[in-house]
Amino acid sequence: MAAESPVSLSQPCVPVFKGEDYGRWRLRMKTVFRSQELWELVEKGVPEGEDEVKARESKKKDAKALCLIQQAVDGPILDRIEEAETAHDAWEIVKNLYQGTSKMMTVRKQALGQSFETLQMEDSESIQAYLSRVVVIVNQVKALGHKLSEAEVVSKVLRSLAPKFDFVAVAMEESRDMSTLTLDELGGSLQAHEVRVNRSLGKRGEKALVVKAESTSSGVKEKGNPCASPGWSPTRGRGRGFIRGRGRGRSARGCSGDNKSNIQCFNCKKYGHMKAECREKGKQV
């Protein structure tokens, strides 16, 4: 049986930064540097005043960290850090380009703080999708050097839930200690309640459909309709009235109510003459 070869961690897999999502790339690279014991050197630079042996070792580590940074950026960004002699210099160049200077960071921090305060869950949005939006903004604020406390985030989520979760938020605020409740615990509880809320809303919708179907089948009409028959229509029969005849009753079209001049003779079908006229012609009226 062949012996298994050990897994080498000397060359970690680095994420390539292309100018987007700097905060996430920085987080991953920070973990890579820590796994190689290089983060302190990248963050603070090569220490001065060391003896020759330690200085040589520090320069070797610095070259390794610089190599990782160069591998972790694409061509246009690599051109910007070409002149950097140390890993710290290269790291600061990328940081200033995509995170900004201290003044720019202050402006971005204020904008993100406003975005955090105006967060609101949509009626059709799921708990998981909304919490993902919250976490993205919290991480962006954290990347700028300001960390929101767990209690602040939990309180904001409870205040900004959709109206259908109002009773859940009130119950949790009354029964749980908000200072010790974590965002993960809150998310798990809200997702459990979400299943029940959606189930309840589904049952209400089904009940409404059943009531509507029963009302339609029983012939219940709008208020004020004098006819309860389901098939009744005021225009049924091609414009005919209640008395048969193409659009007219016993009187003439546009009848003025004159019982003599506008009576139709049911023998000759003429209007405006007396029945005696037909009788004289030998026709029976």
Side-chain angles (χ1 to χ4, degrees), residues 178-189:
M178 294 295 103
S179 62
T180 60
L181 182 63
T182 65
L183 185 61
D184 292 336
E185 293 174 344
L186 175 63
S189 299

Side-chain angles (χ1 to χ4, degrees), residues 205-220:
E206 292 176 359
K207 185 176 180 180
L209 290 175
V210 171
V211 172
K212 183 177 180 181
E214 291 177 351
S215 299
T216 304
S217 62
S218 62
V220 177

